[in-house]
Amino acid sequence: MMESSYLGKRKPVEAAAAAGFQAVVLRCDAAEENAGARGAVSVRDFFKKAEERKEEEEAPDAGGGGGAQDDRLSIDKDDLTINMGLHVVGRRKSGSEESIVSDGVSSEAGGDHRETKAELKRAKSELERLNEENKQLKNMLGRVTTNYNSLQAQVVTLMQQRSSHRVLAGAPPPGHEQLGVDPAEKSDQHQLPRQFIGFGGTAADEPMRSVGLADAVLRAGDCSASSPSHTDAACMPPPAMDYCTAGGKGKDVMPLPAFDHHSHHRVHEMGSSSEDPPPLHMPQGWLPGKVPKFLPAKGPEPVVPEAATMRKARVSVRARSEAAMISDGCQWRKYGQKMAKGNPCPRAYYRCTMAAGCPVRKQVQRCAEDTTVVITTYEGNHNHPLPPAAMPMASTTAAAASMLLSGSMPSADGSLMAGSNFLARAVLPCSSNVATISASAPFPTVTLDLTQQQPPPPSPEPSQLPAARPAQPPQLFGQKLYDPSRPPAVQAAAADEGAGAAADTVSAAAVIASDPNFPAVLAAAIKSYIGGSSSGSGAGGSSGTTVPPLPASSGGDSGRDDKTREQDS
DNA sequence: CGCATTTGACCGGCGC
DNA sequence: GCGCCGGTCAAATGCG
């Protein structure tokens, strides 16, 4: 009955051929290339961390258990027994441990003092030995750390050189690679179906081939850190979403800024004939199966795993909004709603309906801790041109995703590699409090926290930020955002005022753009779009989708669950 | 009537 | 193997 309305009830083959996946694959490859370079860093980081942990464990021994504190030897020996046991058990079995027992026995039984002294001597010598050992370990650790730092610096330098080389060499004219396919690259990108978090090292082997996301991100990071004049095309953040892939099919594509040309470049430089952007008229459809599966279909086989892994990269945008949903200019269709564990507010699932078969989805959910915060998680890549109103958010999330894919590699233990963080900081030097990368999430997720809005300070580099930024609360596109200074009642009233969707939605891109802390690289992207096209478009209205309000508070229509759902009649 | 939303059911991954 | 949970499907429902 509703088959027609659903974009996705299609055969797997058709769905798998969607352009977005191909783009995802390409981007995945780029990310993996960079991941290769990072892999070494991460591995080193892992060992470094291990060494640090070891040192932390041993440090108390070296300090508190030192020979200078002989009068407290018995106590320190206990500490030693506990702390050192892991590392020098073998030698200490017959040493201090036994001496501890002996001390206790001798003191309690009033035994021979000579024996006690002998025990103390043995303990002393043991401590001295341990101190020596600690010193040696420290020295070793110092050397390892030094080597690690130097190597890390080399990696970063290499990345920067690569990016600068690309800039100097001059990127091919935007969009000119749409038809250009490098067979070598094409083969390369398929020969390593590594997992997204893999440590395969290809970047080091082919430094110039990795003109991918990290490259562009680094380029953007340089821009943000140095020259304000770089806020234009050269510094556009690398698109993690190929918004205009479909344009290659002769579709009516809106004029694209350089950002999207980069996207074209990135897509097509690794594209192949079998990976041409799928025509929009093709039997489109959302993947009938579970998304992460990406059932094998036409095209190169390695596409599937890469697409699947890349598909899982997410960009989460946290924006303080009184509106039900953040409008990003796209058209979304709600296909599900669930109660997420630990959050009284339901999570809504949307998929992009701007083009049939667009694989992009998003989840909208209010923060459990602060219901004024709307968390929008984007996943996937648009396979169609986007309206101007959709560009800001798309570019922002794309840049964030690229940062995630290129600069953050979750480690095996679930934490972020320090090297990765280092790289991320290098990429987004001023975004430490805005963009965070989560490896604890099921999928690699970069979170853009826009809830910490601050009054725009007198910017020393106004050219880097979108012009004419309003003061608090952030308000662009004529849409209201949550204003902490206003009473909730006023907020609610304000949410109701206005016309239709425009009042129900806010533009996260507006928030992003108005955030002075947001990386200039992202702001530059937004600037190019907001300033050019989406001005006055009213991002809320641009979304032709009626958005059901999410429970803005506990008293709202929250609490809908598939199990314990209380129908809000 | 067509379309979008709602919502119960279903499925697969994952942890125990 | 089982249950939990996230995610999706798809029939039912609502709305213009």
Side-chain angles (χ1 to χ4, degrees):
Chain A
M1 179 180 185
M2 298 309 300
E3 309 298 316
S4 61
S5 66
Y6 281 99
L7 298 171
K9 299 177 182 176
R10 310 289 179 182
K11 296 293 180 283
V13 171
E14 302 165 353
F21 303 150
Q22 296 162 1
V24 165
V25 171
L26 301 176
R27 206 165 300 114
C28 177
D29 228 308
E32 285 174 351
E33 291 172 4
N34 295 288
R38 278 189 314 280
V41 176
S42 298
V43 170
R44 287 193 302 270
D45 191 27
F46 175 81
F47 287 110
K48 178 190 176 187
K49 281 188 174 180
E51 289 292 338
E52 288 174 348
R53 281 194 294 270
K54 187 177 180 181
E55 183 187 28
E56 287 176 1
E57 292 173 359
E58 295 177 351
D61 305 330
Q69 304 183 11
D70 293 343
D71 48 345
R72 294 174 304 183
L73 202 53
S74 59
I75 299 175
D76 293 337
K77 277 194 296 184
D78 288 337
D79 294 340
L80 273 173
T81 303
I82 296 171
N83 294 328
M84 301 299 297
L86 273 178
H87 308 292
V88 288
V89 166
R91 267 182 292 133
R92 304 188 60 249
K93 265 293 183 182
S94 59
S96 60
E97 281 188 24
E98 288 181 355
S99 69
I100 292 170
V101 176
S102 299
D103 287 347
V105 171
S106 61
S107 59
E108 289 179 4
D112 189 14
H113 287 280
R114 292 177 185 175
E115 190 175 342
T116 304
K117 286 182 179 179
E119 293 294 337
L120 285 174
K121 273 191 175 182
R122 281 206 299 269
K124 271 193 203 176
S125 60
E126 183 76 14
L127 283 173
E128 289 174 357
R129 245 189 8 244
L130 292 174
N131 279 334
E132 283 299 319
E133 192 174 308
N134 281 334
K135 284 179 182 177
Q136 293 176 2
L137 288 173
K138 278 187 175 181
N139 290 336
M140 189 182 308
L141 177 62
R143 286 195 299 270
V144 170
T145 303
T146 302
N147 292 337
Y148 165 78
N149 288 334
S150 62
L151 287 173
Q152 191 178 57
Q154 289 178 15
V155 168
V156 174
T157 302
L158 179 64
M159 299 287 287
Q160 290 174 344
Q161 286 176 351
R162 205 181 308 159
S163 63
S164 62
H165 187 284
R166 171 172 165 76
V167 171
L168 292 176
H176 283 206
E177 299 94 340
Q178 288 190 11
L179 300 178
V181 175
D182 187 347
E185 286 184 353
K186 177 175 137 189
S187 61
D188 285 343
Q189 63 180 303
H190 293 308
Q191 69 186 7
L192 291 174
R194 297 184 300 272
Q195 289 296 310
F196 171 64
I197 60 175
F199 284 140
T202 58
D205 301 333
E206 308 171 50
M208 290 314 298
R209 189 172 68 90
S210 174
V211 191
L213 295 178
D215 181 19
V217 170
L218 279 172
R219 186 168 60 249
D222 292 340
C223 298
S224 65
S226 57
S227 171
S229 63
H230 281 66
T231 56
D232 289 326
C235 287
M236 284 298 105
M241 301 179 181
D242 56 314
Y243 304 102
C244 305
T245 327
K249 284 297 176 180
K251 278 283 191 176
D252 184 17
V253 184
M254 54 173 289
L256 294 173
F259 171 83
D260 289 282
H261 293 317
H262 279 290
S263 173
H264 278 290
H265 168 70
R266 206 164 322 290
V267 166
H268 295 287
E269 75 178 352
M270 291 178 285
S272 65
S273 58
S274 63
E275 292 179 347
D276 282 343
L280 292 180
H281 55 77
M282 69 178 292
Q284 320 94 348
W286 187 253
L287 278 178
K290 302 303 174 187
V291 178
K293 283 185 163 183
F294 287 93
L295 299 175
K298 321 170 187 175
E301 305 303 327
V303 166
V304 176
E306 293 180 5
T309 51
M310 282 299 295
R311 171 69 169 76
K312 293 177 179 179
R314 294 179 174 178
V315 176
S316 181
V317 177
R318 290 166 53 92
R320 199 174 292 275
S321 168
E322 60 191 11
M325 190 178 74
I326 293 172
S327 173
D328 44 25
C330 285
Q331 290 180 335
W332 302 94
R333 173 184 178 81
K334 188 176 183 179
Y335 67 89
Q337 181 170 297
K338 287 278 290 186
M339 286 303 297
K341 187 181 179 182
N343 194 331
C345 303
R347 174 184 301 167
Y349 300 90
Y350 297 87
R351 63 176 56 135
C352 178
T353 59
M354 292 198 70
C358 179
V360 177
R361 298 179 186 182
K362 77 172 180 180
Q363 302 173 3
V364 180
Q365 186 175 34
R366 288 197 175 271
C367 181
E369 289 78 15
D370 186 358
T371 56
T372 64
V373 175
V374 176
I375 303 172
T376 306
T377 303
Y378 295 89
E379 184 179 331
N381 306 280
H382 292 282
N383 62 351
H384 55 85
L386 288 177
M391 288 296 184
M393 174 60 84
S395 59
T396 301
T397 56
S402 65
M403 180 191 73
L404 167 66
L405 298 178
S406 61
S408 167
M409 302 301 289
S411 66
D413 60 353
S415 63
L416 283 174
M417 294 295 187
S420 303
N421 281 334
F422 177 85
L423 185 58
R425 280 192 292 271
V427 168
L428 300 174
C430 56
S431 64
S432 59
N433 61 338
V434 178
T436 59
I437 300 171
S438 169
S440 59
F443 307 121
T445 304
V446 58
T447 301
L448 306 179
D449 193 347
L450 310 176
T451 61
Q452 300 172 2
Q453 296 295 309
Q454 298 177 4
S459 174
E461 296 175 343
S463 61
Q464 283 193 355
L465 298 174
R469 186 165 305 116
Q472 279 190 331
Q475 181 174 356
L476 284 181
F477 305 151
Q479 298 186 27
K480 298 176 184 63
L481 298 177
Y482 178 80
D483 183 357
S485 64
R486 303 170 67 189
V490 178
Q491 301 271 350
D496 293 335
E497 69 188 30
D504 289 339
T505 57
V506 297
S507 170
V511 185
I512 295 167
S514 63
D515 189 344
N517 291 328
F518 200 74
V521 52
L522 303 182
I526 299 165
K527 176 184 176 181
S528 67
Y529 296 119
I530 293 180
S533 49
S534 66
S535 60
S537 63
S542 65
S543 172
T545 305
T546 56
V547 179
L550 281 175
S553 63
S554 58
D557 53 352
S558 63
R560 177 171 294 130
D561 190 3
D562 54 348
K563 299 290 190 304
T564 62
R565 182 180 297 114
E566 287 294 333
Q567 297 296 338
D568 48 336
S569 57

